[in-house]
Amino acid sequence: PALLPVRSSACLLPRQKYPAPPIAAPSADYYSIDEKMLNEDAQPAPASPIVAAARKYAEEEMRALDPSHDYTHVVRVANTARSLAAEEGLSPASCEVVELAALLHDVKDWKYSGSDTAGPEAVRAFLTEQNYDAEKVEMVVTIMSNMSFKDELRSNGKVEIFPELAVVQDADRLDAIGAIGIGRTFAYSGAKKRLMYDPSERPRENMTKEDYMQGHGVSTIAHFYEKLLTLKDRMKTAAGRKRAEGRHAFMEQFLQQFFDEYDGKA
C-alpha cells in the first residue's frame, strides 16, 4: 500500500508516557495508569476529560481478558499511536481522536464477544453518553470498524485510508509483531488451547475475511505465516513501516531458532 505523506509535526507534546513494566512482579495496581507508576523523567500531558473517561472504560471492559488482548495491550497501542501521530505531523485534535480509537479499539472485540458489531456499537454509545462531538464519535467508530486484519481482507484494500486510521492501525499492528507480538501470539493460542506447532499444517494463502475468522484450528506457528509476517508490508505510514522492519526481522530470527530447536539442531 502507498505510504501516507509525512507532514510537519503538530501533535500534542509531551505525549502521555505510560508505565514501564517493572523488573519485579507487577503490583496489584500495575494495570491502572497512575502518576506514581510513571517513569521518573516522564512529564505526562494532562488527559482531557474524554480521554480519562475512555481509559477507565477500556480498563473496566478488558479486565477479564487474557494477556494478548488485555488493557496493557491498548495502553501500548495508544502510546505507540501518539508517537506515530507526532512523527506523521497530525494536529492536536487528530491526536485526541487517535488516542481514543487506540484505547477503545478492542472493546467487545469479535474474538471474545462473538459479534462483529458489538464493539463499534458499544463505543459509539459510550462516547455519545460523554457528550463527545458527534463527528469525532463517527471518526473513532470508523477507525475501529476498518483497522483490523479481517477488515482489510474484507475490503481487499479498497477502504479509504485517512491519517488517523493509518496511525492507529499501524500502532495496533506493531503490537502484533516483534518480541511483544510473539508473546501475545502464544498467550492467545494458550488461552484458546491451540497447538503450538503442527508440522503437517500448511499456512493458508489468499484468505478471505471468512477464512480468517474461522481459523480455529490454526497452530501458533502457522499464524505467523498467515498474518504476522505480512504486516510489515501492510503498514500505512512511513513511521510505522520503519519501526516494523526491526520487529519483522526479530520474528524471522525467532522462527529460525524455533525450527532449529524443534528439529533438535540447536
Side-chain angles (χ1 to χ4, degrees):
L3 297 178
L4 291 172
V6 177
R7 298 180 291 178
S8 59
S9 177
C11 190
L12 291 172
L13 293 176
R15 65 183 176 87
Q16 176 71 37
K17 291 189 177 181
Y18 296 101
I23 295 176
S27 60
D29 62 351
Y30 168 65
Y31 296 101
S32 298
I33 295 177
D34 190 284
E35 290 288 342
K36 70 179 184 299
M37 294 294 291
L38 295 169
N39 296 328
E40 291 183 0
D41 62 346
Q43 297 295 327
S48 65
I50 187 64
V51 169
R55 291 175 185 168
K56 182 178 180 181
Y57 175 64
E59 185 175 12
E60 292 172 350
E61 281 287 321
M62 307 180 77
R63 190 183 303 277
L65 299 185
D66 67 81
S68 69
H69 291 81
D70 63 4
Y71 181 57
T72 64
H73 162 60
V74 298
V75 167
R76 289 190 304 271
V77 173
N79 197 21
T80 301
R82 288 179 61 88
S83 178
L84 293 177
E87 292 185 45
E88 293 293 316
L90 272 64
S91 69
S94 291
C95 287
E96 182 177 79
V97 169
V98 161
E99 184 163 15
L100 288 172
L103 288 167
L104 300 172
H105 78 275
D106 270 344
V107 167
K108 301 190 186 304
D109 181 80
W110 68 273
K111 292 186 291 296
Y112 300 92
S113 68
S115 170
D116 206 15
T117 60
E121 291 171 357
V123 168
R124 179 184 283 113
F126 164 73
L127 293 174
T128 300
E129 290 172 1
Q130 301 297 315
N131 296 315
Y132 196 50
D133 179 81
E135 184 175 345
K136 292 180 180 179
V137 170
E138 292 311 309
M139 182 176 289
V140 171
V141 172
T142 298
I143 292 171
M144 284 185 64
S145 301
N146 291 282
M147 63 179 282
S148 74
F149 187 72
K150 66 176 176 57
D151 294 322
E152 189 162 1
L153 293 176
R154 175 203 67 203
S155 67
N156 197 26
K158 295 179 181 179
V159 170
E160 179 183 356
I161 303 297
F162 52 93
E164 294 84 357
L165 168 57
V167 163
V168 180
Q169 185 183 72
D170 279 7
D172 188 41
R173 290 178 173 180
L174 284 170
D175 208 58
I177 60 178
I180 287 177
I182 292 170
R184 290 183 62 218
T185 301
F186 280 89
Y188 182 78
S189 292
K192 297 297 182 180
K193 301 187 184 304
R194 292 181 175 176
L195 286 177
M196 184 167 62
Y197 175 49
D198 179 358
S200 68
E201 184 177 31
R202 293 294 176 266
R204 297 167 295 174
E205 298 179 351
N206 303 315
M207 287 190 298
T208 65
K209 173 185 175 181
E210 290 70 29
D211 292 335
Y212 178 71
M213 293 179 72
Q214 294 172 4
H216 301 299
V218 176
S219 72
T220 309
I221 293 300
H223 184 65
F224 281 83
Y225 293 92
E226 292 186 352
K227 176 183 177 180
L228 305 187
L229 291 172
T230 75
L231 296 182
K232 173 176 69 69
D233 293 330
R234 292 177 181 269
M235 294 290 165
K236 304 303 189 301
T237 66
R241 180 164 293 186
K242 181 178 179 181
R243 297 189 192 192
E245 293 286 348
R247 298 191 187 208
H248 182 90
F250 186 86
M251 289 195 299
E252 291 180 323
Q253 294 168 8
F254 166 79
L255 289 167
Q256 184 60 61
Q257 181 71 16
F258 179 93
F259 291 126
D260 284 349
E261 293 183 11
Y262 193 90
D263 293 336
K265 297 177 181 178

